[in-house]
Amino acid sequence: MSRFSQPRIGAPDGFFVVTFPMSPSTLFDWHVHEDHQLAWASAGVLIVLTGLTGLTGLTGVTTWVLPPSRALWIPAGLPHETGASGRATMRSVYVPPGMSPVTWDAPTVVAASPLLAEVIGYLSGELTATQREHAEALLSDLLTPLPVTTLNVPFPGDPIAGSVARQLSDNPADQKTLAEWGRAVGASERTLARAFVTATGLPFGRWRTLLRLQSALPLLASGEVVSRIAARVGYQTPSAFTAAFRRETGTTPAAYFGRT
């Protein structure tokens, strides 16, 4: 996997737009910006992780899945990592804090309407000072927050639970029971169950459900049909997948990204 660290990108006289062609192997590893960032995929699906820096390292890591209909406002100074689930084009707007149109101090999903997309493209061109000022004001007016239920899956640091978690992350459809996983990693079922609860705060079954649903989000964002997604993440039927998804998010898979 290619890893890149993004340098400070900004324009002292206003908002600044940068386009990043991305492949599945492209990863902008954990970094921060002095400017606010509006991350948007003009094509493909972005996966952005955000976290907080604490005494024990990064905490509160949240995963954001962004199809072209959504963008993410990332406050200045917030650690984040950006990748893509397939080929994608990221267009980022960098906003100097002194010119920020909003005061959001937490990552915020906004609706990426066709008009917002046009304004971002317009700002990337050669503009007069007056044209740029008007475009920046319009973009600011278009930043409309969206209510989003995120699916966060704490990764266990315990070596036993971590081994199982890594294998399930690679193949969320794996149907092994907890007892079978225990035998695979050389631990009793009870020991493995206790390791998951201690390391993640979740019973193994709930943890695996959240992992499967989180793994489904990039597929949903790319427009894959629910019946195929259900099988790919380990559900025997689409109805079982839909029921689990609704239970955790309060909505259906089809409606999660604004589709019906």
Side-chain angles (χ1 to χ4, degrees):
M1 178 173 286
S2 301
R3 294 177 180 266
F4 301 92
S5 178
Q6 291 177 293
R8 180 184 186 279
I9 301 174
D13 56 345
F15 297 9
F16 191 70
V17 179
V18 181
T19 300
F20 300 96
M22 301 180 71
S23 72
S25 64
T26 303
L27 180 69
F28 294 109
D29 213 343
W30 288 97
H31 60 284
V32 299
H33 296 298
E34 296 178 22
D35 301 314
H36 303 303
Q37 178 185 2
L38 182 68
W40 170 63
S42 60
V45 177
L46 296 181
I47 300 177
V48 180
L49 276 62
T50 60
L52 299 174
T53 303
L55 295 177
T56 58
L58 282 172
T59 61
V61 175
T62 299
T63 300
W64 311 88
V65 178
L66 307 170
S69 61
R70 295 182 175 184
L72 182 67
W73 178 269
I74 305 170
L78 182 72
H80 59 283
E81 178 179 275
T82 306
S85 63
R87 293 200 173 276
T89 300
M90 178 171 67
R91 306 201 81 178
S92 285
V93 184
Y94 296 91
V95 180
M99 301 183 66
S100 176
V102 298
T103 58
W104 302 329
D105 58 2
T108 302
V109 175
V110 301
S113 65
L115 180 55
L116 181 67
E118 289 295 328
V119 174
I120 292 174
Y122 182 68
L123 276 168
S124 67
E126 295 292 330
L127 304 176
T128 65
T130 300
Q131 289 172 330
R132 178 167 294 280
E133 181 181 354
H134 289 167
E136 290 172 353
L138 178 55
L139 184 143
S140 301
D141 288 341
L142 293 172
L143 295 179
T144 305
L146 287 176
V148 174
T149 301
T150 57
L151 292 167
N152 297 316
V153 186
F155 199 90
D158 177 272
I160 298 175
S163 174
V164 174
R166 282 189 293 274
Q167 293 178 69
L168 280 171
S169 296
D170 292 337
N171 180 21
D174 194 304
Q175 298 292 338
K176 289 189 189 71
T177 65
L178 188 61
E180 290 169 334
W181 277 116
R183 289 193 291 272
V185 298
S188 70
E189 180 178 0
R190 178 176 295 181
T191 297
L192 184 56
R194 187 166 51 247
F196 261 93
V197 172
T198 300
T200 70
L202 299 170
F204 172 75
R206 174 85 191 290
W207 184 91
R208 181 165 61 179
T209 294
L210 291 175
L211 174 72
R212 287 175 169 176
L213 298 181
Q214 188 184 75
S215 299
L217 291 182
L219 302 172
L220 285 170
S222 66
E224 184 69 80
V225 297
V226 169
S227 59
R228 293 178 183 173
I229 295 173
R232 288 182 62 178
V233 299
Y235 285 89
Q236 299 298 316
T237 65
S239 60
F241 169 67
T242 298
F245 196 95
R246 184 190 289 274
R247 187 167 58 249
E248 295 294 343
T249 68
T251 189
T252 65
Y256 186 83
F257 287 109
R259 303 183 181 96
T260 56

